[in-house]
Amino acid sequence: MFRKRKEVKFVFHKHLLLFLITILIPTLLLLSFQVYRIQHDAREQLENASHTYLDRSSRNLDILLDQMNQMVLQISLSPSVLDLLKHPFDQTAYDYAQTKEQLRSWTVINPLFHSLYLDILQNRKVLTTNEGIYDEADFYDIAFLQGLNTVNTNKSSSWIGLRSLPSEDGRGILTFARSVPPVQSTPLGVLVLNVQKDIFYNTWMNLQKEQAGPMILLDPEGRMISGPIQGLDAEKIADSLQAGTVKSDRRTIGDADFLVSAYKLPASGFVIIQLSPFAAYDKQVAAAFKQAALILLVVTAAGVGVSYYFAFMLYTPWKRLADRLKGFVFTGESRDPYTFVNYAIHDLLAVIRKNEPIVRYQLVHELLHDHRVESSDITIRFREAGIQFVYPNFVVLVMIDESLDHQGKIANQLLYLYSLAEDTFGLGIPSAGTILDRQKIGFIVNVEYEEMDEFQMARLEDVCRSIQQLARERIDATVSFCISSVYPLDQLHEGFEQVKRMIAYKAFMETDIYFSKPMDENVHYQYPAVYQKLIMNAILSTDRDAAESYITEMFDRYLENSVYPYPKLLQTILVLMSHVISSLVQEGFDIGPLMNEIDLLQLQHCQNRDELRQLLVSQTDHVILYLETLRRRDDDYGAIVHQAIAFIENHYAENISISDVASSLGISASYLSRLFKAEVGKRPQEYLTEYRLKISKTLLKDHRKTLQQIIEQIGYNDVHTYIRSFKKFEGTTPGEYRKRSMDHS
């Protein structure tokens, strides 16, 4: 009685746990979805509010900039300024003084203005509001004027940016420069208006009706107009922005979390960064978690009662089933109903497995792989497995699933093809088979004659064609066959070795059902040295059309209707490509990066001659593209960009920035960025990122290296940043890329 109660208790606990989990899992899923929805809505509200404030701030900034431009335009159109620009040599000292005072009046009445001066291009004079008139060569701000070549020569062109005045001990000034007068087809001068950056920033901030958080303003070149915020790299954020786009991210600054939203104005290029505190968002999410925990507690309490009821309801049928099975299954000990039924099922499966016809599969595998078995024993064991061979002669037939890597492949496709082939052979040809690997199925086929005559070949070909048609119609699969010569039963391993050699040279075969045939290994072989030289010359001259033409011509002559043995033909291709690589080394080229693109082992995976020819064309195209890249780099890049690229490629594994590259060259980061972009077509940071990712693609092929080890070798500090960069440039994640590389290898 005590033991039965213990069994009931054990079964009850299992049912109780089962139903409790059944109740709790949907509840957890629903609560998780609810919490996620609240998080998403709160985050969306915060982002919408931040974007709305950014939009209002950008419109206020556009208004302020338009007003500044209007004032500059109004000054440039005043009669005295126009007369001075058109007739500078006719002006007296008094006229210059009058114009100066008029310009000075603008700086006095407007607190935004710091200083204003006019560069007169005809007589090379500079009229200032504070110091008077200068010869252009003696002007203290001549370096800035010389940098405004575009403004000096283009009609109605302008420049806005933050800089330091030489006479102001490096104090930040926001400068508006414009070619004047706008009514002339050719500029006669440049009007420069300097505004104190702090006053400009405060004026812009005063236009905001409300402030959700700290605001940062940067000029079109990414220089800070507002004060910096500790822990936030505003310049880096500005450099990553595209004009007219908003970028938002959660960041921890100091002891608080902020939603950092940045926007680059499309018209002026100014960058606004808005920091919105996450405190309200976190409070809302915490309340959602507390509510979910309370609901989960209530559901758990109710679920215990419901599970208790269903546990007792389900126990009775299991007990009845166990009582009925006890008359047929002997376990040797008393067991609870669930354990007893489970034991009975396993016992039944074991009996079924003992009667499965698996002996023949093992025998075929042993025969093909030269496991020593006596012929008499083999015959007896085949007979016991239900197979009786009529003749003493056999061929080895290997069926290859060519569609193994195609998308849409059905589950267990190879097993289905095996069953399909076995049924087709069973219609009239004694055979036995086994699965060799993920792509190949092997059969030993009983044949009548000791030599493969036309009748036997035609009979086997008909069967193979039937299998091909059924495979294509039923599962859209493509299969091919390689068939050995005739061997006795105890020498079938030699036939299997013969078939394996045929598969290695499959690309040279003309049909998808190939019978072994003797080939004259002693035929005089002539290596295509002339084509080797022609192809190499075409590669060195980067002539793709000529290289492809020579490869096609060589294939037509040496492979189509060729009498050469297959090993000789494969050696020809390997020697040809090896010569190309060695010739590049002799020419002085660094082939290290090229070895990642050239893979001669792919030759063995080609299914036909066309794939082999296309592979050679593709490999030569990689070599030509590499040579073009080297030559274009040598021809196009200037000395500064060459040095910058060399610094990046030598220090990519370090935590370097573009400022480090620029410092090593003795130039500013902004100048390097503009020069690099103009010559290379991308910014230095993009080049550094792409170069690091290129190195990481090679490291990913080594499955022994973890992502953490890889990012440390290429200069990244954070795995998540590396994954985002990899997916942005490569269109896939590092894990997916590594998996594809391993599958391909």
Side-chain angles (χ1 to χ4, degrees), residues 424-466:
T424 306
F425 277 119
L427 296 177
I429 301 180
S431 63
T434 183
I435 294 178
L436 300 172
D437 55 32
R438 294 177 60 246
Q439 193 178 7
K440 302 180 188 68
I441 301 171
F443 283 91
I444 60 172
V445 182
N446 197 207
V447 294
E448 184 176 357
Y449 304 108
E450 295 182 359
E451 298 291 338
M452 185 65 74
D453 57 10
E454 292 184 2
F455 172 76
Q456 291 188 137
M457 291 175 63
R459 190 181 181 194
L460 283 176
E461 185 173 355
D462 289 342
V463 174
C464 293
R465 293 295 179 197
S466 299

Side-chain angles (χ1 to χ4, degrees), residues 50-58 246 261-263 272-274:
S50 177
H51 292 174
T52 301
Y53 192 75
L54 267 180
D55 181 64
R56 185 165 56 248
S57 301
S58 64
V246 178
S261 300
Y263 176 63
I272 303 174
I273 301 178
Q274 163 72 34

Side-chain angles (χ1 to χ4, degrees), residues 130-415:
N130 296 329
E131 296 84 0
I133 192 166
Y134 284 88
D135 288 330
E136 191 179 78
D138 300 329
F139 186 48
Y140 61 85
D141 206 11
I142 183 61
F144 173 70
L145 292 178
Q146 290 175 347
L148 293 176
N149 292 329
T150 302
V151 177
N152 291 342
T153 57
N154 294 337
K155 177 184 177 182
S156 301
S157 59
S158 61
W159 182 89
I160 304 175
L162 188 67
R163 65 189 189 94
S164 300
L165 284 177
S167 59
E168 297 291 337
D169 298 328
R171 183 168 57 174
I173 295 295
L174 187 63
T175 296
F176 296 78
R178 182 184 180 89
S179 60
V180 292
V183 296
Q184 290 286 127
S185 59
T186 302
L188 299 177
V190 178
L191 183 63
V192 178
L193 174 63
N194 297 314
V195 178
Q196 296 187 31
K197 70 168 187 175
D198 295 338
I199 297 178
F200 180 85
Y201 176 75
N202 292 333
T203 302
W204 171 62
M205 290 297 294
N206 290 335
L207 295 176
Q208 324 298 336
K209 293 183 180 180
E210 59 182 13
Q211 186 172 349
M215 298 282 291
I216 300 174
L217 183 63
L218 299 93
D219 77 342
E221 296 296 329
R223 293 181 286 264
M224 295 279 292
I225 297 176
S226 58
I229 294 181
Q230 187 69 27
L232 181 66
D233 191 349
E235 290 87 350
K236 184 176 181 181
I237 295 175
D239 187 58
S240 65
L241 284 176
Q242 298 293 330
T245 59
V246 178
K247 183 178 180 181
S248 299
D249 191 15
R250 178 169 183 166
R251 301 193 178 196
T252 301
I253 303 174
D255 297 330
D257 288 349
F258 293 88
L259 177 67
V260 179
S261 300
Y263 176 63
K264 188 170 187 177
L265 278 67
S268 61
F270 278 76
V271 176
I272 303 174
I273 301 178
Q274 163 72 34
L275 278 68
S276 301
F278 256 96
Y281 165 82
D282 292 336
K283 184 177 180 181
Q284 189 174 356
V285 173
F289 274 107
K290 185 181 295 184
Q291 183 182 19
L294 180 61
I295 294 174
L296 181 62
L297 182 62
V298 173
V299 171
T300 303
V304 170
V306 175
S307 301
Y308 192 93
Y309 172 74
F310 279 103
F312 273 109
M313 287 184 62
L314 284 182
Y315 170 73
T316 302
W318 281 89
K319 184 68 170 63
R320 290 176 180 173
L321 180 60
D323 291 340
R324 295 189 63 180
L325 288 174
K326 284 179 180 178
F328 303 95
V329 180
F330 176 71
T331 64
E333 59 181 9
S334 178
R335 299 171 184 249
D336 65 87
Y338 288 95
T339 305
F340 183 88
V341 172
N342 184 58
Y343 177 87
I345 293 173
H346 281 80
D347 185 65
L348 180 61
L349 291 176
V351 173
I352 294 174
R353 290 193 186 98
K354 289 179 181 179
N355 294 278
E356 288 181 346
I358 61 173
V359 176
R360 55 185 175 181
Y361 309 143
Q362 182 181 357
L363 280 176
V364 174
H365 192 276
E366 291 177 355
L367 286 172
L368 296 182
H369 290 84
D370 194 21
H371 294 173
R372 298 299 180 183
V373 184
E374 295 294 333
S375 298
S376 58
D377 293 340
I378 297 175
T379 305
I380 294 173
R381 290 171 65 181
F382 271 123
R383 190 181 300 115
E384 291 174 349
I387 297 178
Q388 186 168 357
F389 295 119
V390 180
Y391 309 109
N393 310 309
F394 295 85
V395 296
V396 176
L397 181 147
V398 173
M399 182 171 69
I400 306 166
D401 181 7
E402 306 288 1
S403 57
L404 181 65
D405 296 326
H406 291 181
Q407 293 183 354
K409 181 181 64 175
I410 67 170
N412 299 322
Q413 176 168 300
L414 202 64
L415 291 175

